[in-house]
Amino acid sequence: MSTVARARAIALFNPAAPKQGFLQPVFAGPPGDNKVFVQSMSRLNVIDGFLPVDWPERDCERFDNGPFADVGGESVWGFVFGSSAPLVLPWTHFRTEMSKLLSSPLLSESPLLAFDVVDTLDLKPLKTEVFTRAYQQYLSFSREAADNWRDRAILEPVLAAAIKGVKGGLPSSDERVAFFRARIREGQVLIGFDKTGGTLDRALNNAYRALQRNFPMIFPRGAKVSVQPRGSRKVTGPVPARIIVVLVGRIRHEKMQPNRSMTMDARIVDADHFAPDPGAGREPELIIVLGAQGDATEVANVGRRMGTRQTILVILSMAAPSLIRQQELERKTNLPTITFFAPFATGSSGRDPAQQIALLVDLLGAELKRSPGKLPLIANHCLLMREPVRAKQTQTEAAFRLAARALRAGALLDGSAQLYCHDFRLPTGCEEYSALLDPLFRRTHPITQLRPVGRRPTVLLLVERVENAWPSQLSRQFVEGARRLFEVRGWRILNRHDNVFEITDGQRQFGVTILDADQPPPRKARPRRHPASAERRYWWCTAR
Amino acid sequence: MPTSQFRNFVHRATPLDGQLGLTHVTDCARLASLVQSERLEPRLCSVFGEKLIYLFYGRPAYRREWAEGEATSNLDNARICLLLRDDVAAAARRILPFDSGGFNRYSGAFHSSIKIADFELAPGDHPLKLIGAFYSSLERYWTMDPIKPRMFHATQNVVRSYHQLITGGLAEKFDDRCATVEVQLADPLMLADKVLAMIGPNQIFDDPVIKAFMDKCGAEPRGYRLTHMFHPPETSARLYSEVERFLDDKGWL
């Protein structure tokens, strides 16, 4: 700021500016001072001081007999209307002359410039006419454009002033005053503001009624003022899901079409992109951290990041499981686990793993529904086996095969189990499967019917897994399990000596020896055929 | 050879639902040619050495230095903002997670091996995917509130550096341009069916030529009152407010 206290308007800056609008007056200081100045104002009508500027003379349009101005005195304003001479006058005189000009046809083709002038200079007598013309100008674009403009340009400033004017209300510096929102929709003046109360509501209602009286063409009569907290803005992020499946490791690179398969309230995300964010909305009820067996360590690591959220680690297995690996996983985490035998989930078969994941989500979703807020697992470490039922296969055969695979994979005999199925061939539901498996596992709930996935009927078994067992214990359990399976199959045991059975199906007799795959089979016990591919770990010996 | 680390990271992200549109900010002085040609023309970019159109996703983050330093009353210097449809991003030459014009300043905070090309998105990936990778909602993107804390592997140094940039985790702090997705187009953009709204001083919408252009585009005029004296960079703040208001009115934010 200069020390100049008095200066005279000698020119207008920016002659190249559009032909209608405000112009910046340029001042000359006392005689002998070659500097030029502009006025500095914190209020529109008063000069705080003069600022020296270094503007080239070519950009200034000089005039004679300009007004003098003093620091602390009235500011000087300039305006130009087309080809007429610019108007350069002190504030009070300027407002009077502008009122006359605005009433003339000169600005009739510029209703929005007129609005800016009247609003800036606060020319109250002209507001009704000029604001209405401005609104109509926007109306010529669209009703939506006009209403949106009206709310921003007229409604909000007036209501903000009303809030500031409330005794004991908020100071004008409060952000809530600066950023509050108001809009008129369907006969209601909706005000987004974090404070309500009798005095404030009355002030807002009064302010709106005054607006309606002054601008009857702009503001609808009878609109009711409704103040609501601003915090209720729509969340535009992903819709919070009940279940989130976090993909870990190589499965992230599989091509998936989750939307096609996922009908549950679930979302699949890449582990890299799942960051628990408490402020993001509703917390999921369950997080499933899912990866291939080879990525088990990473699955455990990602699981730890889930904190106290209800989380299950799911290992997708393509082949017979190595219990050593499972035990390694268990050492790395305290979280519950499911080993899911899903041969096509992690391979390069080109099949979409999302379908397998959808099955898992459906199953756990059904359990969540059954016991809200509880961990939807029957045991801390479980196996999940899926058995598609072939067209010519009976329920007995399918159940037999499913149970055999489960035992071989480490299912705990007499352990907790739950069955899920969809078999549209069975008019009576899926209880047939359940009855066949009851001699082997302890069912916790009636069988759960799932929505069909794919064309084939499918039965799934979620069963408690053996923990910390010696191989010899596992072998004994398997032999006992095999015995019960023979009975499920309808075979009668005639004799048994350890792992050697004599059985009959009513027509023929068979001799069966069950051996651990790690041991070579005895010479006389070479198999002629495998009863089922899933039993490769053990040698089933031949019929006599 | 740029690393594919960042692009793979973003490529695997789930895009956020919703839309914010793209912004193009320019001076009123360019209005005449814009409405006459009804298109945006690429202009030579010194960073990439080719003709480009610069757009930003959601936020009107473009800034231009105002050398004059003083307030002006010249309408030509006031800023306007075109709000463009989301699908314009499909024609992107490249998409970057920040204002590329500021990379020289950000790069000082990165390891010297990290180059601007390391941050390019994979062709076909939309800005919503990038936002989904770092923010939990569009509102959080708008308010520059990324998901944090995040853990990154040692081999995700480019991703980690970007996350630090947008969370203010670097020694040097930058303005919102470091966290605004930049969309570059190499071909002229025909505006007829691409403009959602134009934000500018009220008085530009008095012009029948602009009205005809807006009618043709089906775009909404969003006028703001220009003060009698204004400092052009300060009108950028006004554009922010108006864009936010537009998105709010649309229910997009």
Side-chain angles (χ1 to χ4, degrees):
Chain A
M1 199 82 75
S2 74
T3 55
V4 170
R6 183 178 174 81
R8 184 173 194 172
I10 56 161
L12 288 168
F13 184 65
N14 268 342
K19 60 184 179 179
Q20 291 181 337
F22 291 105
L23 287 175
Q24 169 88 295
V26 178
F27 296 81
D33 185 346
N34 290 328
K35 286 180 184 167
V36 289
F37 303 88
V38 291
Q39 57 195 342
S40 165
M41 302 179 292
S42 51
R43 287 172 293 164
L44 294 178
N45 57 339
V46 178
I47 297 173
D48 296 332
F50 291 100
L51 294 166
V53 290
D54 189 21
W55 290 345
E57 197 165 336
R58 66 162 194 275
D59 291 344
C60 297
E61 188 175 327
R62 281 187 164 270
F63 52 80
D64 296 326
N65 303 320
F68 281 95
D70 300 290
V71 173
E74 275 202 337
S75 54
V76 175
W77 286 65
F79 195 86
V80 67
F81 283 101
S83 55
S84 59
L87 199 63
V88 185
L89 292 166
W91 170 256
T92 305
H93 198 180
F94 181 76
R95 289 179 78 229
T96 307
E97 290 303 309
M98 286 300 289
S99 295
K100 291 178 191 167
L101 285 168
L102 284 161
S103 304
S104 74
L106 274 170
L107 275 174
S108 62
E109 290 180 7
S110 304
L112 296 175
L113 174 62
F115 170 84
D116 279 2
V117 172
V118 168
D119 202 28
T120 301
L121 303 181
D122 195 26
L123 301 173
K124 287 188 176 68
L126 296 178
K127 280 188 176 176
T128 300
E129 184 195 340
V130 170
F131 283 20
T132 303
R133 274 175 36 216
Y135 178 72
Q136 284 166 344
Q137 174 68 9
Y138 276 110
L139 210 51
S140 71
F141 288 87
S142 70
R143 167 70 64 180
E144 185 186 11
D147 287 352
N148 285 335
W149 173 81
R150 169 201 63 197
D151 295 345
R152 297 191 315 276
I154 308 173
L155 179 66
E156 283 180 4
V158 168
L159 296 185
I163 291 172
K164 288 180 206 171
V166 173
K167 196 174 180 182
L170 296 170
S172 56
S173 57
D174 192 301
E175 275 200 348
R176 285 178 290 179
V177 177
F179 295 105
F180 97 105
R181 292 282 165 80
R183 53 168 66 95
I184 302 171
R185 298 288 182 275
E186 295 169 0
Q188 275 204 312
V189 185
L190 304 169
I191 299 174
F193 193 59
D194 292 337
K195 188 172 177 172
T196 57
T199 315
L200 184 70
D201 288 356
R202 269 196 302 281
L204 290 169
N205 271 294
N206 290 342
Y208 182 75
R209 278 201 293 274
L211 275 174
Q212 206 283 321
R213 276 196 308 274
N214 294 332
F215 307 102
M217 304 292 285
I218 302 179
F219 291 97
R221 186 191 295 270
K224 288 183 180 172
V225 175
S226 169
V227 183
Q228 291 167 342
R230 273 210 71 190
S232 54
R233 184 180 260 180
K234 194 183 92 182
V235 173
T236 53
V239 177
R242 284 180 69 204
I243 300 176
I244 293 182
V245 183
V246 181
L247 303 183
V248 176
R250 66 203 71 181
I251 195 169
R252 297 177 307 155
H253 305 294
E254 300 287 333
K255 286 211 179 300
M256 270 193 233
Q257 291 183 301
N259 293 337
R260 198 182 58 185
S261 305
M262 304 293 281
T263 55
M264 273 302 290
D265 183 9
R267 188 159 59 92
I268 298 179
V269 296
D270 186 306
D272 274 349
H273 298 292
F274 182 76
D277 187 10
R282 178 165 62 113
E283 282 277 302
E285 287 177 47
L286 178 68
I287 294 173
I288 301 170
V289 180
L290 182 141
Q293 198 159 45
D295 299 313
T297 302
E298 203 181 336
V299 169
N301 290 340
V302 172
R304 272 199 292 275
R305 279 168 41 198
M306 301 303 144
T308 56
R309 291 168 186 83
Q310 193 150 271
T311 304
I312 296 175
L313 308 185
V314 175
I315 301 297
L316 295 176
S317 175
M318 294 176 64
S322 155
L323 284 171
I324 293 171
R325 278 191 190 170
Q326 291 297 334
Q327 285 164 10
E328 278 175 0
L329 174 66
E330 287 160 26
R331 275 198 295 273
K332 289 177 193 298
T333 181
N334 294 321
L335 292 169
T337 66
I338 297 176
T339 303
F340 182 15
F341 291 89
F344 301 113
T346 57
S348 52
S349 62
R351 298 198 193 184
D352 187 348
Q355 205 174 59
Q356 309 282 337
I357 294 168
L359 257 181
L360 178 78
V361 166
D362 274 6
L363 180 152
L364 292 174
E367 292 301 319
L368 271 179
K369 199 171 173 183
R370 200 192 323 259
S371 312
K374 290 185 180 170
L375 188 72
L377 271 191
I378 48 175
N380 206 37
H381 298 292
C382 297
L383 296 170
L384 178 61
M385 315 295 298
R386 180 189 178 203
E387 185 66 31
V389 186
R390 291 172 181 81
K392 292 180 180 173
Q393 214 172 11
T394 64
Q395 282 81 50
T396 305
E397 286 165 346
F400 180 85
R401 187 177 153 81
L402 180 66
R405 287 175 54 216
L407 286 171
R408 173 183 145 271
L412 180 66
L413 194 64
D414 294 322
S416 300
Q418 183 55 26
L419 268 168
Y420 309 84
C421 91
H422 66 86
D423 190 343
F424 44 80
R425 304 175 308 174
L426 299 173
T428 55
C430 302
E431 282 300 324
E432 286 87 341
Y433 289 112
S434 202
L436 292 166
L437 293 172
D438 278 354
L440 290 115
F441 306 114
R442 185 163 44 84
R443 203 152 48 93
T444 51
H445 291 99
I447 194 161
T448 305
Q449 298 219 34
L450 299 176
R451 68 184 174 85
V453 176
R455 284 169 298 179
R456 281 186 186 172
T458 298
V459 58
L460 293 108
L461 175 67
L462 184 69
V463 61
E464 187 175 356
R465 187 159 55 75
V466 173
E467 288 182 60
N468 302 319
W470 294 100
S472 58
Q473 290 173 299
L474 287 172
S475 280
R476 277 201 298 279
Q477 179 193 267
F478 186 80
V479 172
E480 173 56 18
R483 182 189 70 74
R484 296 187 202 178
L485 273 174
F486 296 150
E487 290 174 351
V488 168
R489 188 71 179 81
W491 296 337
R492 195 160 52 85
I493 296 169
L494 301 172
N495 280 304
R496 176 187 170 182
H497 182 70
D498 287 339
N499 58 340
V500 178
F501 293 83
E502 263 188 44
I503 56 177
T504 178
D505 63 357
Q507 293 178 337
R508 293 169 296 173
Q509 284 189 9
F510 295 83
V512 178
T513 304
I514 300 172
L515 297 171
D516 194 311
D518 295 340
Q519 300 167 352
R523 285 185 66 82
K524 289 182 180 176
R526 296 273 183 200
R528 286 186 190 158
R529 63 191 172 96
H530 298 296
S533 61
E535 281 77 46
R536 254 174 270 156
R537 185 179 164 86
Y538 293 89
W539 293 98
W540 293 60
C541 297
T542 56
R544 286 182 181 159
Chain B
M1 180 79 177
T3 164
S4 56
Q5 181 196 126
F6 189 86
R7 74 167 58 189
N8 289 345
F9 180 84
V10 172
H11 185 67
R12 290 201 305 268
T14 307
L16 285 185
D17 291 335
Q19 58 182 318
L20 292 182
L22 295 124
T23 63
H24 179 78
V25 177
T26 188
D27 286 349
C28 277
R30 298 194 182 279
L31 260 175
S33 62
L34 194 145
V35 297
Q36 189 187 7
S37 65
E38 297 179 359
R39 61 186 192 178
L40 290 177
E41 290 287 352
R43 293 162 65 191
L44 187 63
C45 162
S46 57
V47 178
F48 293 94
E50 59 182 315
K51 286 188 171 183
L52 295 168
I53 297 168
Y54 280 92
L55 309 172
F56 289 101
Y57 193 72
R59 285 197 289 270
Y62 173 79
R63 308 274 202 293
R64 189 170 65 79
E65 293 303 316
W66 175 241
E68 287 85 339
E70 302 293 341
T72 178
S73 59
N74 190 341
L75 181 68
D76 284 349
N77 294 315
R79 301 276 156 81
I80 58 166
C81 174
L82 294 176
L83 275 158
L84 304 166
R85 293 182 194 283
D86 248 40
D87 59 12
V88 168
R93 172 61 155 261
R94 62 176 70 81
I95 298 177
L96 288 156
F98 41 60
D99 171 17
S100 59
F103 185 74
N104 286 342
R105 285 180 288 123
Y106 322 139
S107 61
F110 296 155
H111 188 268
S112 58
S113 62
I114 298 176
K115 306 297 179 203
I116 194 167
D118 294 332
F119 292 96
E120 284 183 25
L121 266 60
D125 277 353
H126 193 273
L128 285 169
K129 217 168 200 186
L130 189 141
I131 295 169
F134 291 98
Y135 299 87
S136 59
S137 69
L138 289 177
E139 188 177 30
R140 296 254 174 124
Y141 167 72
W142 179 265
T143 55
M144 293 188 297
D145 182 14
I147 297 167
K148 55 181 185 271
R150 293 285 290 267
M151 289 171 63
F152 298 103
H153 301 300
T155 51
Q156 290 181 309
N157 63 317
V158 179
V159 181
R160 189 189 63 244
S161 298
Y162 177 69
H163 188 256
Q164 286 175 320
L165 176 72
I166 61 175
T167 51
L170 298 172
E172 199 180 340
K173 302 289 181 273
F174 304 97
D175 66 22
D176 63 298
R177 284 172 289 183
C178 75
T180 304
V181 183
E182 178 182 284
V183 176
Q184 300 175 4
L185 310 180
D187 297 322
L189 178 68
M190 302 307 294
L191 293 171
D193 57 347
K194 300 295 182 195
V195 186
L196 293 163
M198 186 198 289
I199 297 165
N202 277 320
Q203 57 191 285
I204 66 171
F205 300 115
D206 280 332
D207 189 331
V209 177
I210 292 174
K211 182 173 186 311
F213 168 75
M214 298 291 283
D215 287 345
K216 189 170 182 180
C217 293
E220 184 182 342
R222 308 281 293 202
Y224 63 86
R225 197 191 81 183
L226 196 62
T227 51
H228 67 293
M229 290 290 144
F230 62 92
H231 196 247
E234 285 168 8
T235 60
S236 297
R238 190 64 200 253
L239 294 184
Y240 257 93
S241 165
E242 293 295 334
V243 172
E244 183 182 25
R245 186 58 197 257
F246 174 82
L247 298 173
D248 203 16
D249 287 343
K250 286 281 181 193
W252 294 351
L253 196 61

